[in-house]
Amino acid sequence: MAVRPDPELLLAVPEIPKGQHLTGSRRAHFIKQAKPAYDAGHSIRAIAAQATRSYGFVQRTLAESGIALRPRGSHGPRGADRHPRPSGGPEPCFNL
């Protein structure tokens, strides 16, 4: 069973009002709050929604902080390498 990330870490990410630039110490403070949330397992999209910033902004700030970003996509049993049909192929139909 997967462990759910701590919601308190996500709520600690500050909301940034629309149109405000984030530079210097305010940017460092944002990274300081966002990095533990990401390390705990929250997605970039969840952090971006909490901060009211774009996915790209959060991804760039995490990357520039030196954190190793997780790979994209699902890590479940039906990954691209275990898909039952070739990618782009038609869905199999067994109703004859």
Side-chain angles (χ1 to χ4, degrees), residues 24-36:
S25 63
R26 292 187 65 221
R27 189 177 187 98
H29 176 71
F30 174 77
I31 291 170
K32 184 178 176 185
Q33 299 299 329
K35 197 172 177 181

Side-chain angles (χ1 to χ4, degrees), residues 20-77:
Q20 273 193 1
H21 291 277
L22 218 56
T23 57
S25 63
R26 292 187 65 221
R27 189 177 187 98
H29 176 71
F30 174 77
I31 291 170
K32 184 178 176 185
Q33 299 299 329
K35 197 172 177 181
Y38 185 76
D39 284 339
H42 288 286
S43 68
I44 293 175
R45 291 198 190 285
I47 296 168
Q50 173 65 26
T52 63
R53 293 307 245 194
S54 71
Y55 176 93
F57 171 81
V58 174
Q59 184 185 36
R60 276 190 312 274
T61 55
L62 288 173
E64 74 186 33
S65 74
I67 194 169
L69 298 176
R70 294 186 294 266
R72 288 180 48 174
S74 171
H75 301 294

